[in-house]
Amino acid sequence: MTSFIHKGYLDFLSEKQKAELSKHFMSASTNDMMPHQLAVQLGIKYSDALAVLTILEEEGLCEMKLLIYHNCEPDVPAGAIPFGQGFPNLPWFCPLCEKSVHDYNELSYDFMAHFVKQRELV
């Protein structure tokens, strides 16, 4: 099991929230998490949840992806690119409707963290 000593990076979380986060991440069934899921679980703002996941990604404990949604199926991710790479280049081909997208206004985004092994926050 991987341990992550948070060195003050997560001081904006209460001790109870840190314990809940550690408990959640030690579960073998937890592989993917979106910021809004973490926000609800810990009772924190979306931006704080995104910050937590970004810190964990920076420490190598997860891999963050930018999920790409197209207007043709607004609730289904049409693609994903590594976090930090930026937005997709246009024209972007939507595999769902098989059309080329030429306007960023047709796209929306979210984030997904993928954890490859159990981890404990200490």
Side-chain angles (χ1 to χ4, degrees), residues 1-108:
M1 177 179 310
T2 301
S3 292
F4 167 58
I5 302 172
H6 55 81
K7 304 175 219 163
Y9 296 135
L10 302 175
D11 283 348
F12 58 92
L13 297 177
S14 70
E15 291 305 315
K16 182 179 177 184
Q17 289 169 326
K18 290 176 193 173
E20 180 65 27
L21 183 63
S22 185
K23 180 178 136 186
H24 181 76
F25 288 149
M26 287 179 9
S27 166
S29 64
T30 303
N31 290 327
D32 294 320
M33 176 172 275
M34 297 178 79
H36 69 271
Q37 294 168 319
L38 182 60
V40 169
Q41 182 177 348
L42 298 182
I44 59 178
K45 296 183 294 187
Y46 178 92
S47 58
D48 288 341
L50 182 56
V52 168
L53 294 175
T54 302
I55 290 166
L56 296 177
E57 199 239 0
E58 181 65 27
E59 293 294 322
L61 299 175
C62 68
E63 295 176 358
M64 292 280 289
K65 299 279 185 189
L66 177 69
L67 299 179
I68 305 165
Y69 296 82
H70 183 226
N71 289 347
C72 71
E73 292 281 343
D75 297 327
V76 179
I81 56 177
F83 181 71
Q85 182 175 315
F87 294 103
N89 294 324
L90 295 180
W92 181 78
F93 180 77
C94 176
L96 300 177
C97 66
E98 300 182 347
K99 294 183 180 175
S100 288
V101 177
H102 297 276
D103 186 347
Y104 283 115
N105 290 328
E106 293 183 43
L107 302 175
S108 58

